[in-house]
């Protein structure tokens, strides 16, 4: 019976190597790509949430109107959940294509 196999050891980068990588063009491009997607999406999602709260606060009669068996407020509340899951799904697909390969390359360079 064979014993458990040891996990491959990774090289621990030095603090200077971390700083050098952080300042490298490759890392700066990765960070810029990440921010270029996430910041606009985060801002739009936040605005959508604030609009929902403001509608509920200042236009309760509009939110209480019946629409397709529910009221407008419930439909918009369900849309909040739907957009959250949609944003998450889009981000995961985008990150797997645009962030993960670059991050894996950087990790491989750092850990050897």
């Amino acid at each position: 019976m064979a014993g458990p196999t040891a996990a491959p050891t990774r090289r621990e980068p030095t603090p200077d190597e971390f700083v050098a990588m952080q300042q490298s063009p490759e890392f700066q491009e990765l960070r810029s790509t990440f921010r270029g997607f996430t910041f606009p999406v985060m801002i739009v999602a936040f605005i959508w949430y604030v609009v929902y709260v403001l509608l509920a606060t200042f236009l309760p009669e509009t939110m209480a109107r019946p629409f397709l068996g529910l009221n407008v407020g419930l439909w918009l509340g369900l849309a909040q959940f739907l957009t959250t899951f949609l944003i998450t799904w889009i981000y995961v697909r985008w990150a797997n294509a645009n962030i993960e390969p670059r991050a894996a390359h950087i990790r491989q360079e750092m850990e050897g």
Side-chain angles (χ1 to χ4, degrees), residues 16 19-20:
D16 289 337
V19 171

Side-chain angles (χ1 to χ4, degrees), residues 52 55 62-67 70-78:
Y52 175 71
L55 286 171
T62 302
M63 298 292 267
R65 281 195 188 131
F67 181 73
L70 297 174
N71 64 36
V72 172
L74 284 174
W75 282 115
L76 290 177
L78 291 171

Side-chain angles (χ1 to χ4, degrees), residues 4-108:
T5 58
T9 58
R10 299 184 314 193
R11 184 182 74 80
E12 183 69 30
T14 66
D16 289 337
E17 290 173 320
F18 278 114
V19 171
M21 179 54 76
Q22 183 182 14
Q23 295 171 351
S24 73
E26 182 180 17
F27 185 82
Q28 294 301 319
E29 181 186 341
L30 174 65
R31 189 165 75 177
S32 176
T33 301
F34 173 77
R35 288 179 176 177
F37 180 87
T38 56
F39 284 4
V41 171
M42 178 188 65
I43 290 167
V44 168
F46 181 72
I47 289 170
W48 163 223
Y49 174 74
V50 169
V51 166
Y52 175 71
V53 171
L54 291 174
L55 286 171
T57 303
F58 296 108
L59 297 173
E61 64 284 348
T62 302
M63 298 292 267
R65 281 195 188 131
F67 181 73
L68 298 175
L70 297 174
N71 64 36
V72 172
L74 284 174
W75 282 115
L76 290 177
L78 291 171
Q80 287 284 321
F81 283 101
L82 178 65
T83 54
T84 299
F85 289 116
L86 181 64
I87 288 169
T88 302
W89 179 74
I90 290 169
Y91 173 75
V92 167
R93 287 183 50 116
W94 178 84
N96 285 339
N98 297 289
I99 298 295
E100 289 304 318
R102 295 175 186 177
H105 181 261
I106 290 172
R107 188 170 31 257
Q108 180 63 30

